[in-house]
Amino acid sequence: MNSINIKEINPDNIDEVRKISVKADQQSFIETVDECLKEAEMYEQWCPVAVYYDKDLVGFAMYGAFGDNPDTWIDRIIIDRKYQGKGFGKLAMKELIKIVKQKYQVSMVYLSFVEDNEAARNLYENLDFKFTGEYDPEGELIYKLILNEK
């Protein structure tokens, strides 16, 4: 595979980013891109980004840090339905982990997902995220990744 690039959302790509969607059977697992962008407008801590493979827009993600001792979250990752099953989710997550580690200088990253989302569970556990035993206010499983010092 070539390279995954995480880029800011801007006037040049916003319309294309808004078209990103998941398969019909996945829609109950995650918000739409528009819903995520509205949330990012309300909370300045969220950083919505576009996920590219070379020059092709393949997905959307959102990350941020909250609190005095910030809890850093990779809160959303959406790989467009036509690009799913090609390894882009894993590549994007690896890149996002690097970005949040560097930007926030943290040793842990959190995320949450709907318990029935087996594809998400497999992806995150394959990247060494572990269930914390906790659930978020919407009942999603909370996972964390302890980052190494490298």
Side-chain angles (χ1 to χ4, degrees), residues 9-19 33-34 37 52:
I9 295 173
N10 59 52
D12 294 331
N13 66 8
I14 186 70
D15 291 337
E16 193 178 1
V17 169
R18 288 181 187 279
K19 294 177 187 173
V33 170
D34 275 332
L37 291 172
Y52 287 85

Side-chain angles (χ1 to χ4, degrees), residues 16-67:
E16 193 178 1
V17 169
R18 288 181 187 279
K19 294 177 187 173
I20 292 168
S21 63
V22 296
K23 296 174 184 173
D25 64 343
Q26 300 168 329
Q27 290 174 356
S28 64
F29 295 149
I30 194 159
E31 295 82 357
T32 65
V33 170
D34 275 332
E35 290 169 327
C36 296
L37 291 172
K38 285 177 187 163
E39 189 175 337
E41 286 177 11
M42 292 178 2
Y43 302 99
E44 64 182 22
Q45 297 94 332
W46 285 129
C47 300
V49 292
V51 178
Y52 287 85
Y53 173 71
D54 291 333
K55 294 180 182 179
D56 295 328
L57 176 66
V58 299
F60 168 87
M62 195 160 79
Y63 64 86
F66 297 85

